[in-house]
Amino acid sequence: MAFKQFCQSETIDDVLTSFSALKRCCGTSEDDVYTTIKHREFNSLTRPLFDALDLKRLQVTTSKTNQCQAKKLGRVFVVGSGPAGLRVAIEMSLLGHEVVVIEKRPDFSRHNLLHIWPSTIRDLNSLAIKFFYPKFCNASIAHISIRRLQLILLKIALLLNVRFYVGCTFIKVDPPSAGESLWNVQVQCDDTVSIPPRDLQCNILIGADGENSSG
């Protein structure tokens, strides 16, 4: 029931609330959310989702280029949860890195349609987007609302251990302290949001908050 509610959630708040409930039901730790949920929820209905994500992770991590890059990365901080920000967060998580995403808006509200190019359709299908939205690019229909795409990518990102905070605005990033290697991110969050200090340190900062990106 918790997994079904998570998959059917239609707002950021509902997605995060239902995901927290799902983690409690599965008894998962923050270290390996995906494996625990997969073990608990794997069945004939969810198999297409988990099989697709397992295959995608294998493809990403076995790439020689990505193997080299993986040795240089570690903790990624993404500013903005548009389609681009969430997709890069997913990719970084598939590579095995710790990923944090912040979003200043309280919900996804962009209902305008995106035209989806063939290469993007293939990429999104490889992430099992049809599991969450069976109507995706059926027949000659090659578009999806930005809001719908964001919701789906957020769910996939959460399953892949990405940590997500809403109601947070990026302020600046400070260089590492003496003897440290991680940069310190400063944000301004709503009163109800608290980000652990660990999640405010990174060695990769990605600005994905639009053409006037602050990242």
Side-chain angles (χ1 to χ4, degrees):
M1 179 62 73
F3 190 76
K4 182 178 181 180
Q5 291 178 339
F6 168 67
C7 293
Q8 295 178 346
S9 297
E10 288 292 315
T11 66
I12 288 180
D13 184 61
D14 285 347
V15 169
L16 297 179
T17 300
S18 60
F19 189 65
S20 294
L22 175 61
K23 289 192 294 183
R24 288 195 299 272
C25 288
C26 294
T28 180
S29 69
E30 292 296 333
D31 295 330
D32 200 357
V33 172
Y34 176 76
T35 300
T36 307
I37 292 178
K38 175 187 172 183
H39 178 76
R40 171 71 181 265
E41 299 294 337
F42 189 88
N43 55 51
S44 59
L45 295 178
T46 62
R47 182 170 185 168
L49 170 64
F50 294 117
D51 281 357
L53 294 181
D54 284 344
L55 178 60
K56 189 68 174 179
R57 175 174 283 173
L58 179 64
Q59 292 172 337
V60 169
T61 56
T62 54
S63 163
K64 291 184 179 180
T65 300
N66 287 338
Q67 284 178 342
C68 294
Q69 292 175 341
K71 298 177 181 179
K72 303 176 183 179
L73 304 180
R75 288 159 70 173
V76 181
F77 194 95
V78 182
V79 181
S81 65
L86 289 170
R87 182 61 186 88
V88 75
I90 289 170
E91 195 73 8
M92 292 295 99
S93 183
L94 286 168
L95 282 165
H97 310 309
E98 292 186 48
V99 185
V100 171
V101 178
I102 63 167
E103 170 58 47
K104 65 180 180 180
R105 299 180 182 181
D107 203 359
F108 300 139
S109 57
R110 298 160 66 190
H111 292 274
N112 45 315
L113 296 179
L114 281 176
H115 177 78
I116 309 296
W117 297 102
S119 59
T120 305
I121 292 174
R122 290 193 295 270
D123 178 66
L124 293 173
N125 279 332
S126 74
L127 293 171
I129 188 173
K130 283 182 177 290
F131 178 84
F132 296 99
Y133 189 53
K135 296 180 181 180
F136 175 70
C137 291
N138 286 337
S140 60
I141 302 175
H143 57 258
I144 187 172
S145 76
I146 295 177
R147 174 184 175 277
R148 175 67 58 191
L149 182 56
Q150 287 175 281
L151 282 169
I152 296 169
L153 291 176
L154 174 59
K155 293 170 187 177
I156 294 171
L158 291 173
L159 286 173
L160 292 173
N161 299 354
V162 173
R163 296 188 289 280
F164 182 83
Y165 300 97
V166 69
C168 299
T169 301
F170 174 84
I171 303 300
K172 66 175 183 175
V173 61
D174 295 323
S177 304
E180 301 292 333
S181 61
L182 297 173
W183 292 66
N184 300 291
V185 182
Q186 292 192 25
V187 299
Q188 181 175 342
C189 297
D190 293 346
D191 294 339
T192 57
V193 180
S194 176
I195 302 181
R198 176 182 175 82
D199 285 353
L200 291 173
Q201 293 184 312
C202 67
N203 52 9
I204 295 292
L205 175 66
I206 299 174
D209 50 340
E211 61 181 348
N212 297 315
S213 175
S214 56

